[in-house]
Amino acid sequence: MITGLDGFMEYLEHTKGASRNTVVSYRRDLTQFSEYLEGQGIQDIARVTSISLNAYLLHLERQGRSAATVSRVLASIKAYFHYQFREGRVSEDPAELLKAPRVQKKPPAILSVEEIGRLLEAPSKDTAKEIRDKAMLKLLYATGIRVSELICLKVSDLNLAVGFITCRDDRRERTVPFGREAGRAVENYLKEAREQLLKGETSPWLFINCRGKQMSRQGFWKIIKQYAARVGIRTDITPHCLRHSFAAHLLAKGASLQAVQQRLGHVAPANTQMYQDYLVSGVEAGR
């Protein structure tokens, strides 16, 4: 039912400069929205009203979707109808006045320095898999990059001699340094494990799974949960925990907010400020 979806996706990517993850997310949200409308007998976007949209948001809430998820879906719908209105495909924008539910921000999940140490040393066996896992964990914590950036690293993005990686997305590129410990782990992986995992095949990706293919987000999530359980970390850990922990620990060591912002690749300073707020709240709680 959703018409002009491909054109909207091209507009997002090429005109608005949206990231690949954003485009995929918007497409998924709008496809699910389209299926809902068809179930309600609405076949033409010109028939969609603010009442229709409110009913869909209520439907999501009744399904148990979080306020953050509903807000994200609404953002997708608002962007889509704004585009359709601008293109003259609808006479009114039914999503213009809709407001997203208030999202209560949760403090970032941050591991202690001691927990991080246990997690990084959890892969202790000399198998190709555990050598790779140790390299991924240590590089992720040493750089603070996103998991999506980690699994999209190519061998050509790595400079072991100088100690940095190059991260790219659809809009920009940044160089991120890493220390000797992470460098040694990655070097060991390249020498001792990567060829075993490739099994005679070739791949541009730095980190590959046990079938010689590019590592997936889901695959790495399973890896990090496995090692967290192995060393008794009870925090509901996600791959993003290492990024959060990297930022908080760097600030705790005296790094400036601007330096951490640059390392994380944040565009807005407010995105980095939450780590400073976390440290301040921790100090005040301990008084």
Side-chain angles (χ1 to χ4, degrees):
M1 196 288 301
I2 287 286
T3 57
L5 189 56
D6 290 336
F8 174 59
M9 294 302 145
E10 289 182 10
Y11 164 76
L12 280 179
E13 187 172 0
H14 301 300
T15 303
K16 301 296 288 184
S19 69
R20 183 168 61 92
N21 286 343
T22 298
V23 173
V24 170
S25 175
Y26 274 39
R27 182 182 288 276
R28 180 180 62 246
D29 291 341
L30 291 170
T31 299
Q32 292 174 353
F33 174 55
S34 177
E35 292 171 354
Y36 169 82
L37 291 178
E38 289 180 0
Q40 301 299 309
I42 300 175
Q43 302 292 332
D44 185 350
I45 60 169
R47 289 185 54 208
V48 177
T49 65
S50 59
I51 295 175
S52 307
L53 297 180
N54 271 314
Y56 180 58
L57 299 181
L58 183 60
H59 167 73
L60 294 178
E61 291 176 1
R62 285 174 174 167
Q63 285 187 325
R65 305 293 182 88
S66 68
T69 298
V70 174
S71 294
R72 191 204 68 227
V73 171
L74 180 56
S76 303
I77 292 173
K78 286 175 78 73
Y80 170 76
F81 276 105
H82 176 75
Y83 169 78
Q84 296 295 350
F85 178 69
R86 198 196 68 164
E87 294 294 305
R89 296 193 179 101
V90 293
S91 58
E92 294 182 357
D93 181 353
E96 184 178 9
L97 299 180
L98 291 182
K99 293 183 179 180
R102 180 173 294 180
V103 179
Q104 184 177 3
K105 281 194 173 183
K106 296 181 179 179
I110 294 173
L111 301 178
S112 68
V113 173
E114 186 271 337
E115 286 175 321
I116 284 289
R118 283 193 281 138
L119 181 64
L120 298 186
E121 296 305 320
S124 55
K125 299 176 183 177
D126 291 330
T127 63
K129 178 185 181 302
E130 295 218 3
I131 291 171
R132 177 207 62 194
D133 296 347
K134 183 182 288 287
M136 293 185 77
L137 290 170
K138 289 202 170 187
L139 188 62
L140 191 63
Y141 177 66
T143 57
I145 61 175
R146 301 171 181 88
V147 174
S148 58
E149 293 172 325
L150 179 75
I151 63 175
C152 287
L153 284 175
K154 296 182 178 179
V155 176
S156 57
D157 294 326
L158 173 70
N159 189 322
L160 272 176
V162 180
F164 70 80
I165 52 175
T166 302
C167 294
R168 300 179 178 87
D169 62 23
D170 297 335
R171 291 171 290 176
R172 56 187 181 272
E173 173 181 304
R174 78 183 193 282
T175 299
V176 185
F178 56 83
R180 292 180 182 177
E181 188 175 347
R184 283 194 294 268
V186 174
E187 185 175 16
N188 189 43
Y189 159 69
L190 291 173
K191 288 181 177 179
E192 304 295 336
R194 191 169 183 272
E195 289 301 319
Q196 292 185 48
L197 295 172
L198 280 172
K199 297 179 177 66
E201 300 295 325
T202 59
S203 174
W205 307 111
L206 177 58
F207 294 111
I208 52 179
N209 61 27
C210 293
R211 299 186 304 278
K213 306 299 182 182
Q214 183 186 13
M215 175 67 68
S216 67
R217 289 174 61 93
Q218 293 83 356
F220 185 69
W221 195 348
K222 290 179 182 177
I223 287 169
I224 198 171
K225 283 186 171 293
Q226 167 197 337
Y227 290 117
R230 181 184 292 186
V231 297
I233 295 175
R234 296 183 178 181
T235 303
D236 186 16
I237 194 170
T238 69
H240 223 58
C241 281
L242 272 74
R243 179 170 166 86
H244 292 323
S245 303
F246 162 84
H249 296 170
L250 206 57
L251 284 170
K253 291 177 182 177
S256 69
L257 201 63
Q258 184 179 17
V260 176
Q261 178 188 343
Q262 291 174 346
R263 291 284 292 273
L264 294 175
H266 283 162
V267 176
N271 293 334
T272 316
Q273 181 64 45
M274 68 174 178
Y275 300 113
Q276 187 71 63
D277 296 341
Y278 169 85
L279 292 174
V280 170
S281 64
V283 169
E284 290 179 347
R287 286 179 182 171

